[in-house]
Amino acid sequence: RGAVSVRSMADVVVHRPDPALLNGADLDLWVACTWDTRPARGLFDRCDWRLDGLLERWLRAGRIELAPGARCLVGASRRLGGARLLVVGLGSPEAREAVTPSLARSLAEQARSLGAKRPALEVPRGLDEAAARRFVERGWKREAPGDAVHIIRSEPGEAAA
């Protein structure tokens, strides 16, 4: 339904976090993995823009934390295509080793417990290709609910799995 798919493999669909994706994808949960650096990039930034700066205001007010493992669920919004948003803090980009397949599995389990049928996971920016592949293949792909694995990559030239 209008999702911007830049690459499809067997059961993995890779998207870019552009405005058309937030309107047209038939997904029910966005999982935005976000480093604690500003300005925000990727899915967090796109969703914040669509929500008129709500996420940045919540961040400044302490309602959203970006410490490693911190999570905040934002209710469904028409501005996000009717989907909910799970913001996942990753801490400092220097701590890339903490972004592991077990984190991705944990996020997939949380998506399942939230009743998501078609969630999409943002692969954290700045991971090298091998780390990104492990994050998807050994983590999210094993546990994610739904008929296809939806991945969001925000850096140009990246492949997913």
Side-chain angles (χ1 to χ4, degrees), residues 44 47-60 63-64 74:
F44 181 94
C47 291
D48 186 51
W49 180 76
R50 295 301 293 274
L51 295 170
D52 295 324
L54 176 72
L55 301 179
E56 284 291 340
R57 288 193 304 275
W58 281 9
L59 194 58
R60 285 192 299 274
R63 291 184 67 186
I64 294 177
V74 179

Side-chain angles (χ1 to χ4, degrees), residues 39 110 139:
Q110 185 168 8

